[in-house]
Amino acid sequence: METSTSSSAADASAAAASHKLQFDHDATPEEKMRQAMKDVPAGHKTERRNKGTELVTEAAAAAAPKVEDLPPPTTQATKTGTSSAQALALQKGNKSVVGWQQAGGATSSDFWNVDRADIDGKVDPDNVNGRDLRTLLEDYLPPGTYGDWFHNAGVIGATALSCWVVGRLGGGLAWIVVIGAILGTYYRTSIRRTRRNARDDLTRLLAKRKLEHDYESAEWMNSFLTKFWVIFEPELSAMIVGTVDQVLATSTPAFLESLRLDEFTLGTQPPRIEHVKTYPKSEDDVVIMDWKFAFTPNDVQDLTMRQVKNKVNPRIVLGIRVGKSVATANIPIVVEDIACAGLMQVRIKLMSEFPNIKIVDLSFLEKPVIDYVLKPIGGKTLGFDVGFIPGLSGAILSIIHGTLGPMMYAPNVFSLNVQQMLSGAPIDSAIGVAVVTIHSAAGVKNPDTLGGKPDPYVKLSLAGHEVARTTTIKSTNEPQFNEVKTVLITTLTDPLILEVLDFNEIRADRVMGAVSFDLHELENDPEVDHVSMDVMNNAKPRGNLNFSISWYPVLQAPKNPDGTPGPTPESSSGIVRFTVHQAKNIAGGKNISAFASLLLNAKEVAKTPKMKNTHNPVWDFSKEMLVTDKDKCVLGVQLRHDDDRLGSMQIKLLDLLKNTEDEVDEYALQNTREVNGKIKLSATWKPVALGSLGSSAAYETPIGALRIHLHAANDLKDLDVVGKPDPYVSVLVNGKRSGRTVTVKNEFNPVWNEIVYVAVRNPRERIKLECMDYQQRTKDRSLGTIDVDLSQLVRQNPAGYYEECDDRTPRTAMFKLGNGQSKGTLKYSISFHPALSVYTTEEEEKLDKEAAERTTNPVLASPVSAARTSFDNKAAANPAVDQLIQQAAPRHKRSESVLTTSTTSRARALAPPKMRLAAADLGKYQSGFLVVDLLEGDFAHSGAYLQVFLDDYLYSSYSSAKVRSRHVQWNNETMDVFVRELDLSQIQLRVNESHENTSDAETLGEAADSTLSILKRSFNTPITIALPGKHGASKLTFKSRWIPVPLQLDARESVNNMGSLRFDLVKATDLIGMDRGGKSSDPYAKFVLNGETVFTSQTIKKTLNPQWNESFEVAVPSRVDADFVINVFDWDLGGGDDPLGSARIPLEALEPLTSMPIELKLEGVKSGVVHGRMLFRPAFVTRARRGTTSRTMTLATGVAGAPIKAGTKVVGGALHGAKRTGSLVGRGLFGRSSHKAAHEDALAEDQPQIAVGPDGTTYTHDPAINLAGIEGTASTSTPISSRVAAAIDSPANQSSSFLDTDPNSSVGGGTGELGTLSITFGSPVGFPDLSHKVSIKVKGTKFSDKTDAHKHMSSFTNTTLRGIAELGETLQITLRESSLLGSDKTLGRATLQIPYTQSALSSDNHTISFDGTFSGSSLPVTLGFKPLDAASTRTATRRSLFGSGSGSGGGSASVTPSRKSLG
């Protein structure tokens, strides 16, 4: 049997050796492969491995230019016959050598038929099975009756007992011998079995111990390889030739004519396994072994004389042809005597299905030893080994190790997917799609200490080569990428490497760190959302990277109950593998260098390598692409030679897949000069349940809002040797600042009492509260952080809805410092409010299309889809659905249909139905996210930032990346801001030079309007707005949508809680006397808001019932939290004013826009009542830094029906300002002026009076103002919210609407109209002679001008001052004595009321009456007013967004309510 087997194998080998596989240097790779594989046994396949790449999607292809001159899609194809190339390959004889048989000329019998004398060691045929050692009892006794210890003990006892019985019975020695023989035989049988069992146990224990701690020999495998290698080596060489020659043909440099393999063999000596070490304590389905191998073909020590004689060493001959046409020369490069030895770890992953081995991972545990002989010149005979050149051999080995290291040197592994290889699928075929979303990075550090901020980008790599990269974000340590990369995955064994690099235009980009993600985790959790991992560099964290990965495996066919595979799941989305095999008869039979462009929907997505000097190019080039709609997909090919078009064709994907299944793969080329030109194509389809991936965008819709109420902090860490910190709290979402409080200056125990809203997009997001110490010139310093556990707040019910967690109970947490310690506490409350799930525009269009198709085609009608459409329509039209929707806010991660498979099925939560939201329904939902899609921008200045300010927030709610050019076209740039009250909200867009808006000088353009108006006009519709600025108008194109968030606001969050308070201080009665005799006092009143003095009245001499008749206005940031107190004092000349009592002024009970009289009984004294009147007008009061340098800014003033006049007193450290509005009474240096009578006459003439409106509502009224002429006078019958909205949206409160696309569009006239005001002085009356030069200064909200100094008042006659002013504004006029050495001395003050209409301004006579030293004198003035044009108006009003605010100066000054970053 053994002889016949060897002889038959030898005959087969000899037959194989007799057929020489020869082909010339110019043979194509396909010809070589087909010829070399002729003798390869059937069933073996040659494949090549490719690594994962960034997947080409239809969306990416759409951005490419369209290929012109393409024919319409064809459906005609033919089956492939025996091509001319094949026939040529069979007929040609050539000189190429493949395999050891052709190289050496010997046959397999020379290695198999070995004389027994050549074999070391003989097998002893004797005693093979041990039959001579068996006893008679073993053939008859059952196995359970002998062999154990008690059997042996029983035999010994039975022997003793038997001898005693024989002796007692008088038996002789013969009986004892008989009994001893029987029992001895039994004992021998039993003890042999006991020893054999013990020997087996010891052998197993020793083998196991040796397995764990020692190596074992693999001589049996070496013996097997010795005989198997002579069969397998020709096949292996043929596989290598077919693959490598293809690569060489397509990678030939331009200066070479060709590059081919002329000879390749691995020799006759097989690799040898020196020893094997196994790790038995691995996972149940994993086998891990260490193999030490050696491939040393030159070692002949273990060979017989016949084997040494026929031995063939490994040899590779690379033929390089240089020159052109007939002047060519072939230069052979010889590599021979190759040897290699190393230690490799083999990891085998098992599975229950055939072939039971799933994946084999190979990794060198140490650098292998490699040896070779390289002869680049001279060929086989005269070649010189370059290894003798000093240093060259080491350099070559370094290149080899550098190439193999990232591939398979530990810890890297080289993976072989055995399951995929044996299934016949290409090794580089995709097993799924990974959608990687790079959200952001935080704290990335520049590797250059002095290099400034880095320009980071993220590079994605698989198995050592790049698959995708993000765009570069300039000059930032916290880049926001928000980019989606679709990566083709061929195996899950390779980790995904995300490198963060610093871009540089000159030098090479530097790696700042990397993150390694194990793709095996996707098998257990296909949705890995918002992973935050440290960016590591040299084992040190260099920042943090936040990303998400979604895994979409290829859908596998489920198995039938009988084990046979079922039908492949149908899906309109998936991966198509488009292969261009070869072309024939192109370019009229001329040899050219051609390549093919692969087309997806007429857009080029890939190119094949260029094949030189052939008219029948063979590429076998494949490209896998992501297709979201298989029915509409069209593939195509265009052949080119440089810029010449050689032919093209297109075909629908469905037709190509059907033809491939029918083995029809040849197509006629169109638009070609050759009539018989053909191309061979094929395609395979892998369904993937992509769902919404086809229209994926970087923006992730919020699932809800996090409401964080930051009350106060206590006992913060002291980082300064001298002084106190200036703390504020930042809310960080995945390392990015999403909100912050204002700064409280010089305080260890700050009180903020602010509410911040941040968007929550995923329950796994990292939320941190970080307390920072503001630094004016350096980077802010951290005072500690607090981690927020979202899992306790964000929860889903079984129906898929996110549940509301409205827990507003204050909690206290410790700040954690970087060194593991804790210092300071924060008092805060936090709650989660889910958002409603709303259809996007694309989803609505898809639903409408499906509904239309069901209407036109009843066959497509579905009860489920019809019911869903019915629900959508009801949700959009029936208000009763709102209550149902507000019970919970649904959030569906991916709404695609569920396709289950046997091995890749995933559990997906059922999503509740979404709702339709029309523009007319926006007013129903007051709270929510305003989502803005930025499309395009034309900026008047480059290098700026686009910022969005909302309501009362001091800091921008959104700030874009730096705009590098004047024209920007955004791609998936989406922002969202949370709006508390949509009806009352105000929004402002700004273009700033600085990321941290620090001064008005940096504002390059801005515009403001009602948020609701903006939303309605841009709702799912692009609009263009203008942002006028100092460098010209910028334009911005965007569209918006609305995501409602059902939310119950606290009273302190509403705009009704903040605004401007006008207080009319009328009089006081029954005050106590503090002068001598107790019959009189010199009373004055001081008003204190939140600990800061906001207004001090005039001092009225010698009275207990003073008549003040003064008014002031103050900005109130919060009526609920306001501490408003009036203190009455008795003025004393020597200082130390005596208190006359105090009273708290309640603000929380005020009704907005309604004048309310008030009597305040003074506390702490026997008697005293203060009489006054209050009017509160809601307006957004911008939050400001609190401290001695703080300023107040009021966004909305000038409410219709109760106009606010200019001139606001700035109060340091308070979020409010105050201004006098009606009194002309002044106090001199030592009290009241001596001209008391004149002042009282003026006061009686000009003081505000209490007016009664037509509906009976009382207002504080100035006689100079025509109340009936003001639009929007408040009425008590109007709901408060409507009245507030009307007041804020009135023309007086809006500097401009940026909904007009034309920057020169007009601004609403009437009250609040801006223009150029001219003030011309007439002849003065009643002024005394002057001893010094004086000047006149006029100050308003924007008006600021003064005259030259003169010694005579008559010199001011016909002097004109000009400036920007607003109709209805009150100007402050000051008469000052000029001083050369010190500051000017104020001699008198006056106010000038500008009429509200131009007609009144030109017809009225205006006279200025000064108080103080010049009381009783007057100065007539003539006013002129010229309205500004629209462009000038917008520029002038941009810094006064909705009217006047607070300013600085003396008792009354103007305010510029711009949002200044005060820290």
Side-chain angles (χ1 to χ4, degrees):
M1 177 66 71
E2 184 176 347
T3 303
S4 65
T5 302
S6 302
S7 60
S8 60
D11 294 341
S13 178
S18 64
H19 184 81
K20 300 293 184 180
L21 297 180
Q22 299 177 350
F23 21 78
D24 62 13
H25 178 87
D26 296 328
T28 65
E30 187 184 48
E31 295 168 357
K32 287 186 178 182
M33 183 66 180
R34 191 175 292 112
Q35 188 74 1
M37 291 294 292
K38 181 178 179 181
D39 295 327
V40 173
H44 292 266
K45 292 181 171 56
T46 301
E47 307 293 349
R48 64 178 182 272
R49 182 177 183 270
N50 190 12
K51 299 181 178 67
T53 59
E54 184 175 9
L55 194 57
V56 175
T57 63
E58 290 176 311
K66 186 174 182 179
V67 179
E68 304 295 338
D69 299 334
L70 290 177
T74 183
T75 57
Q76 298 180 355
T78 58
K79 287 190 176 183
T80 304
T82 303
S83 65
S84 58
Q86 288 176 307
L88 184 63
L90 294 175
Q91 296 172 5
K92 278 188 176 181
N94 55 68
K95 303 176 183 179
S96 291
V97 179
V98 178
W100 67 269
Q101 294 178 347
Q102 299 182 43
T107 64
S108 302
S109 59
D110 295 327
F111 293 89
W112 281 338
N113 296 334
V114 181
D115 294 338
R116 184 167 295 275
D118 295 332
I119 302 177
D120 295 333
K122 297 182 179 180
V123 178
D124 186 6
D126 299 328
N127 199 17
V128 174
N129 53 12
R131 288 286 302 176
D132 59 320
L133 300 178
R134 292 179 61 84
T135 61
L136 183 64
L137 294 179
E138 288 187 49
D139 296 330
Y140 299 100
L141 290 178
T145 59
Y146 63 95
D148 289 324
W149 65 271
F150 51 86
H151 293 142
N152 302 331
V155 169
I156 297 175
T159 303
L161 181 61
S162 300
C163 292
W164 179 80
V165 170
V166 170
R168 292 288 293 175
L169 296 176
L173 183 61
W175 287 102
I176 294 178
V177 172
V178 172
I179 295 174
I182 296 173
L183 294 179
T185 304
Y186 177 83
Y187 178 78
R188 180 173 178 269
T189 303
S190 181
I191 199 64
R192 282 189 63 255
R193 183 176 181 184
T194 300
R195 291 172 179 172
R196 184 169 60 248
N197 292 341
R199 185 168 53 251
D200 292 342
D201 292 340
L202 291 175
T203 302
R204 283 194 299 270
L205 290 175
L206 292 175
K208 186 175 181 180
R209 180 172 298 180
K210 183 178 180 181
L211 197 63
E212 295 178 355
H213 304 286
D214 204 351
Y215 299 97
E216 56 180 320
S217 174
E219 290 303 321
W220 65 270
M221 181 175 290
N222 296 328
S223 177
F224 167 77
L225 286 177
T226 300
K227 297 184 178 181
F228 179 72
W229 183 254
V230 295
I231 302 175
F232 181 66
E233 191 275 339
E235 177 191 353
L236 180 62
S237 297
M239 294 168 57
I240 296 175
V241 167
T243 302
V244 175
D245 210 56
Q246 172 77 21
V247 176
L248 293 176
T250 57
S251 304
T252 304
F255 59 86
L256 296 180
E257 177 70 11
S258 65
L259 189 65
R260 296 288 192 274
L261 276 179
D262 287 345
E263 182 176 345
F264 184 90
T265 179
L266 293 177
T268 56
Q269 188 77 342
R272 177 178 177 82
I273 307 299
E274 300 290 344
H275 59 72
V276 178
K277 179 180 180 180
T278 307
Y279 297 89
K281 295 182 179 180
S282 60
E283 295 89 340
D284 293 340
D285 58 345
V286 174
V287 177
I288 301 178
M289 295 178 289
D290 292 345
W291 287 18
K292 184 173 180 59
F293 72 95
F295 180 58
T296 54
N298 294 328
D299 186 7
V300 297
Q301 189 171 3
D302 58 341
L303 298 182
T304 64
M305 294 300 298
R306 183 183 301 179
Q307 290 175 337
V308 171
K309 179 181 178 181
N310 298 314
K311 181 178 72 70
V312 176
N313 289 334
R315 182 185 300 118
I316 301 174
V317 179
L318 182 65
I320 299 178
R321 178 167 294 180
V322 296
K324 295 291 183 181
S325 186
V326 295
T328 60
N330 189 35
I331 301 175
I333 298 178
V334 181
V335 181
E336 59 185 2
D337 295 340
I338 303 170
C340 177
L343 180 62
M344 176 179 290
Q345 185 171 92
V346 181
R347 183 181 184 273
I348 303 175
K349 176 76 172 180
L350 305 178
M351 62 180 182
S352 58
E353 300 176 356
F354 182 82
N356 303 113
I357 296 177
K358 185 176 182 180
I359 295 174
V360 178
D361 294 335
L362 306 177
S363 177
F364 279 107
L365 298 180
E366 57 188 28
K367 287 185 179 181
V369 178
I370 300 174
D371 191 19
Y372 57 91
V373 173
L374 174 60
K375 300 178 180 179
I377 300 176
K380 305 176 185 178
T381 307
L382 301 176
F384 172 74
D385 183 11
V386 298
F388 294 112
I389 300 177
L392 184 58
S393 178
I396 296 176
L397 288 178
S398 298
I399 296 175
I400 296 175
H401 291 310
T403 304
L404 294 179
M407 295 175 54
M408 56 190 312
Y409 287 3
N412 302 314
V413 297
F414 182 80
S415 299
L416 296 175
N417 194 327
V418 179
Q419 180 187 19
Q420 191 175 24
M421 294 170 60
L422 296 183
S423 66
I427 299 179
D428 61 345
S429 180
I431 62 173
V433 176
V435 180
V436 185
T437 304
I438 310 297
H439 298 292
S440 61
V444 291
K445 299 178 181 179
N446 195 334
D448 292 334
T449 307
L450 303 178
K453 292 186 178 180
D455 302 329
Y457 68 91
V458 178
K459 182 175 72 174
L460 286 73
S461 302
L462 279 173
H465 73 283
E466 179 181 347
V467 297
R469 68 170 59 189
T470 66
T471 55
T472 302
I473 308 298
K474 297 292 185 179
S475 300
T476 179
N477 295 102
E478 298 186 356
Q480 299 294 318
F481 300 103
N482 292 324
E483 295 188 27
V484 177
K485 301 298 178 183
T486 306
V487 180
L488 188 73
I489 301 298
T490 60
T491 175
L492 294 178
T493 56
D494 296 326
L496 176 64
I497 307 298
L498 298 95
E499 288 182 298
V500 183
L501 295 97
D502 177 24
F503 172 79
N504 191 281
E505 296 180 354
I506 302 175
R507 58 167 172 78
D509 299 346
R510 294 193 177 183
V511 178
M512 294 186 287
V515 169
S516 178
F517 180 81
D518 187 3
L519 293 179
H520 279 298
E521 297 182 12
L522 298 177
E523 292 180 316
N524 301 324
D525 186 6
E527 293 290 341
V528 181
D529 296 319
H530 285 280
V531 179
S532 293
M533 302 180 67
D534 290 335
V535 179
M536 305 299 294
N537 190 357
N538 294 328
K540 296 180 180 179
R542 297 294 181 181
N544 187 274
L545 184 66
N546 183 264
F547 60 95
S548 301
I549 301 181
S550 299
W551 170 238
Y552 299 87
V554 173
L555 300 179
Q556 303 294 333
K559 287 191 174 182
N560 296 323
D562 58 356
T564 59
T568 303
E570 291 293 334
S571 176
S572 61
S573 58
I575 301 173
V576 58
R577 184 181 179 89
F578 185 28
T579 304
V580 180
H581 297 283
Q582 66 180 91
K584 300 178 183 178
N585 303 324
I586 61 175
K590 297 180 180 179
N591 288 341
I592 59 174
S593 300
F595 67 93
S597 295
L598 280 67
L599 311 178
L600 174 62
N601 296 328
K603 303 295 181 67
E604 183 179 273
V605 294
K607 292 181 181 179
T608 67
K610 184 180 293 186
M611 296 295 293
K612 292 187 176 182
N613 301 322
T614 178
H615 62 280
N616 296 311
V618 178
W619 294 289
D620 283 326
F621 180 84
S622 298
K623 183 68 176 179
E624 291 189 304
M625 298 167 284
L626 184 65
V627 174
T628 57
D629 193 345
K630 181 170 64 173
D631 298 335
K632 298 180 180 179
C633 180
V634 177
L635 301 177
V637 175
Q638 187 176 68
L639 302 185
R640 297 182 189 176
H641 169 65
D642 295 332
D643 294 332
D644 296 337
R645 299 172 183 174
L646 305 178
S648 59
M649 63 85 58
Q650 287 193 108
I651 185 172
K652 291 184 177 180
L653 175 58
L654 293 177
D655 295 334
L656 181 59
L657 292 175
K658 185 177 184 304
N659 292 341
T660 302
E661 184 179 357
D662 297 338
E663 297 183 359
V664 177
D665 53 7
E666 281 193 356
Y667 301 86
L669 286 171
Q670 303 181 36
N671 299 332
T672 180
R673 292 170 292 188
E674 179 64 37
V675 179
N676 297 325
K678 294 182 180 181
I679 190 161
K680 183 178 178 181
L681 307 174
S682 65
T684 56
W685 175 256
K686 297 179 181 180
V688 178
L690 297 178
S692 59
L693 178 61
S695 58
S696 63
Y699 176 74
E700 190 173 358
T701 304
I703 63 175
L706 211 59
R707 179 186 182 273
I708 305 175
H709 189 176
L710 299 163
H711 296 275
N714 184 49
D715 192 23
L716 294 177
K717 181 177 178 59
D718 186 7
L719 298 177
D720 296 317
V721 179
V722 179
K724 299 179 181 180
D726 301 335
Y728 66 90
V729 175
S730 290
V731 182
L732 305 179
V733 180
N734 297 323
K736 175 188 175 183
R737 179 184 294 173
S738 298
R740 60 162 291 179
T741 67
V742 298
T743 302
V744 178
K745 188 176 180 181
N746 293 328
E747 188 59 62
F748 284 112
N749 304 302
V751 177
W752 295 287
N753 202 19
E754 291 190 45
I755 297 175
V756 178
Y757 288 89
V758 297
V760 177
R761 311 179 195 281
N762 192 280
R764 298 186 182 182
E765 288 185 318
R766 297 182 301 109
I767 308 294
K768 282 190 176 183
L769 306 178
E770 185 173 20
C771 188
M772 304 292 293
D773 178 20
Y774 169 74
Q775 300 293 306
Q776 187 174 4
R777 294 181 177 85
T778 60
K779 185 178 179 181
D780 297 349
R781 301 176 297 181
S782 177
L783 299 176
T785 60
I786 295 175
D787 294 324
V788 177
D789 186 6
L790 274 187
S791 62
Q792 302 299 322
L793 299 170
V794 183
R795 295 173 179 156
Q796 276 182 292
N797 60 20
Y801 290 89
Y802 283 97
E803 299 176 339
E804 184 178 35
C805 180
D806 194 6
D807 182 11
R808 303 188 183 184
T809 304
R811 60 182 74 180
T812 302
M814 294 284 294
F815 284 112
K816 297 180 181 178
L817 306 178
N819 53 9
Q821 300 178 355
S822 299
K823 176 66 173 178
T825 59
L826 176 68
K827 181 181 179 182
Y828 70 100
S829 63
I830 186 168
S831 58
F832 172 73
H833 304 273
L836 301 185
S837 190
V838 182
Y839 281 119
T840 63
T841 305
E842 294 78 9
E843 291 173 336
E844 289 186 356
E845 291 176 352
K846 184 176 181 180
L847 290 175
D848 294 339
K849 180 180 178 181
E850 292 176 354
E853 291 178 353
R854 285 192 296 268
T855 303
T856 57
N857 189 356
V859 178
L860 299 178
S862 169
V864 176
S865 57
R868 179 160 190 167
T869 304
S870 175
F871 179 86
D872 296 332
N873 295 333
K874 291 179 182 178
N878 187 4
V881 180
D882 295 342
Q883 182 178 2
L884 174 62
I885 295 176
Q886 292 182 7
Q887 293 177 359
R891 165 68 174 154
H892 184 35
K893 291 183 63 72
R894 288 207 295 262
S895 58
E896 65 269 21
S897 60
V898 180
L899 296 175
T900 59
T901 66
S902 59
T903 60
T904 62
S905 61
R906 72 178 75 185
R908 301 180 186 269
L910 296 177
K914 296 183 178 182
M915 60 176 289
R916 290 178 182 261
L917 188 63
D921 301 326
L922 294 176
K924 297 180 181 179
Y925 309 97
Q926 285 297 300
S927 300
F929 289 100
L930 173 66
V931 183
V932 179
D933 298 321
L934 299 177
L935 305 177
E936 190 174 0
D938 288 299
F939 295 93
H941 192 279
S942 61
Y945 298 87
L946 175 64
Q947 296 177 331
V948 177
F949 293 89
L950 200 68
D951 299 341
D952 59 330
Y953 292 103
L954 174 63
Y955 298 96
S956 60
S957 300
Y958 165 81
S959 183
S960 71
K962 193 171 185 178
V963 178
R964 295 286 174 175
S965 61
R966 297 183 61 180
H967 178 75
V968 178
Q969 191 160 5
W970 283 288
N971 182 22
N972 294 329
E973 180 69 18
T974 304
M975 67 173 181
D976 53 42
V977 293
F978 187 81
V979 180
R980 301 190 305 263
E981 294 175 294
L982 183 59
D983 285 342
L984 309 177
S985 175
Q986 301 290 328
I987 190 172
Q988 182 185 34
L989 297 182
R990 277 190 178 181
V991 179
N992 287 323
E993 290 181 339
S994 173
H995 188 67
E996 297 287 347
N997 182 25
T998 56
S999 69
D1000 288 338
E1002 296 173 346
T1003 301
L1004 304 177
E1006 57 184 332
D1009 206 334
S1010 165
T1011 305
L1012 179 59
S1013 177
I1014 283 292
L1015 178 58
K1016 286 184 176 180
R1017 291 174 181 261
S1018 62
F1019 188 70
N1020 294 329
T1021 303
I1023 65 170
T1024 301
I1025 58 96
L1027 289 77
K1030 62 181 181 181
H1031 295 291
S1034 300
K1035 291 185 179 181
L1036 185 66
T1037 303
F1038 62 91
K1039 64 179 180 179
S1040 65
R1041 58 187 186 273
W1042 182 249
I1043 301 176
V1045 178
L1047 175 65
Q1048 184 67 38
L1049 294 178
D1050 284 348
R1052 60 170 46 88
E1053 298 181 74
S1054 174
V1055 69
N1056 289 330
N1057 184 48
M1058 63 187 74
S1060 176
L1061 173 69
R1062 175 178 175 131
F1063 193 97
D1064 297 327
L1065 179 61
V1066 180
K1067 63 181 180 179
T1069 58
D1070 200 19
L1071 297 178
I1072 63 174
M1074 299 299 292
D1075 292 342
R1076 293 179 181 179
K1079 295 182 178 181
S1080 67
S1081 295
D1082 300 329
Y1084 69 93
K1086 182 182 290 186
F1087 291 83
V1088 179
L1089 178 61
N1090 297 331
E1092 299 289 343
T1093 301
V1094 298
F1095 178 75
T1096 302
S1097 72
Q1098 304 290 335
T1099 300
I1100 309 299
K1101 294 289 188 174
K1102 307 299 182 181
T1103 180
L1104 299 179
N1105 300 290
Q1107 293 282 336
W1108 283 295
N1109 291 318
E1110 297 185 57
S1111 299
F1112 69 91
E1113 290 190 8
V1114 61
V1116 179
S1118 174
R1119 287 193 294 148
V1120 175
D1121 301 320
D1123 182 17
F1124 196 22
V1125 178
I1126 178 175
N1127 298 311
V1128 182
F1129 295 92
D1130 172 43
W1131 178 80
D1132 289 334
L1133 179 61
D1137 299 345
D1138 300 320
L1140 300 180
S1142 63
R1144 181 184 180 276
I1145 306 174
L1147 299 181
E1148 59 273 7
L1150 286 176
E1151 183 179 0
L1153 303 177
T1154 301
S1155 180
M1156 184 183 76
I1158 187 172
E1159 293 183 357
L1160 302 170
K1161 181 175 176 57
L1162 298 177
E1163 299 176 355
V1165 293
K1166 296 180 179 179
S1167 62
V1169 178
V1170 176
H1171 301 267
R1173 188 174 297 276
M1174 294 188 295
L1175 174 64
F1176 180 76
R1177 288 168 294 186
F1180 287 111
V1181 178
T1182 304
R1183 308 173 187 180
R1185 181 180 180 183
R1186 294 196 287 275
T1188 58
T1189 60
S1190 298
R1191 298 200 310 171
T1192 299
M1193 289 155 281
T1194 306
L1195 288 182
T1197 59
V1199 177
I1204 298 176
K1205 302 179 182 179
T1208 300
K1209 181 178 181 180
V1210 176
V1211 181
L1215 281 173
H1216 47 265
K1219 60 183 180 180
R1220 300 178 186 270
T1221 59
S1223 176
L1224 301 180
V1225 179
R1227 287 199 296 150
L1229 182 62
F1230 299 98
R1232 189 180 181 188
S1233 172
S1234 59
H1235 303 279
K1236 177 179 180 181
H1239 261 298
E1240 290 178 348
D1241 294 341
L1243 179 61
E1245 183 174 317
D1246 294 332
Q1247 70 181 12
Q1249 299 175 358
I1250 303 302
V1252 180
D1255 57 352
T1257 305
T1258 58
Y1259 298 93
T1260 303
H1261 176 54
D1262 192 325
I1265 302 173
N1266 183 6
L1267 184 63
I1270 301 175
E1271 299 179 1
T1273 301
S1275 171
T1276 55
S1277 61
T1278 305
I1280 291 296
S1281 60
S1282 301
R1283 289 156 58 191
V1284 172
I1288 294 179
D1289 292 337
S1290 66
N1293 295 331
Q1294 295 184 13
S1295 58
S1296 69
S1297 170
F1298 58 69
L1299 295 178
D1300 302 320
T1301 59
D1302 184 5
N1304 298 319
S1305 59
S1306 62
V1307 181
T1311 303
E1313 183 176 9
L1314 282 177
T1316 302
L1317 177 69
S1318 62
I1319 305 175
T1320 304
F1321 299 107
S1323 300
V1325 178
F1327 282 87
D1329 295 336
L1330 304 176
S1331 59
H1332 296 82
K1333 289 184 178 182
V1334 296
S1335 62
I1336 301 175
K1337 182 177 181 179
V1338 181
K1339 181 73 174 178
T1341 303
K1342 297 173 179 60
F1343 193 105
S1344 181
D1345 198 2
K1346 70 177 181 177
T1347 66
D1348 295 333
H1350 298 286
K1351 198 170 184 180
H1352 302 282
M1353 288 298 298
S1354 58
S1355 301
F1356 296 108
T1357 304
N1358 295 327
T1359 300
T1360 302
L1361 301 180
R1362 290 182 175 86
I1364 302 297
E1366 183 179 358
L1367 291 180
E1369 183 179 353
T1370 299
L1371 301 179
Q1372 306 295 322
I1373 303 176
T1374 308
L1375 190 62
R1376 298 185 176 187
E1377 178 183 327
S1378 299
S1379 175
L1380 295 177
L1381 300 179
S1383 59
D1384 295 346
K1385 178 181 179 182
T1386 300
L1387 302 178
R1389 294 186 178 90
T1391 59
L1392 175 62
Q1393 173 70 49
I1394 304 175
Y1396 279 82
T1397 61
Q1398 292 191 56
S1399 59
L1401 181 141
S1402 58
S1403 61
D1404 293 349
N1405 296 322
H1406 308 282
T1407 301
I1408 299 173
S1409 298
F1410 290 93
D1411 62 359
T1413 307
F1414 301 101
S1415 179
S1417 58
S1418 62
L1419 180 64
V1421 296
T1422 302
L1423 302 180
F1425 186 83
K1426 181 181 179 181
L1428 296 177
D1429 58 9
S1432 300
T1433 300
R1434 289 173 182 256
T1435 303
T1437 60
R1438 207 50 65 205
R1439 296 183 187 135
S1440 180
L1441 183 54
F1442 300 111
S1444 302
S1446 60
S1448 61
S1452 56
S1454 63
V1455 165
T1456 302
S1458 63
R1459 300 173 179 268
K1460 292 192 175 182
S1461 179
L1462 304 178

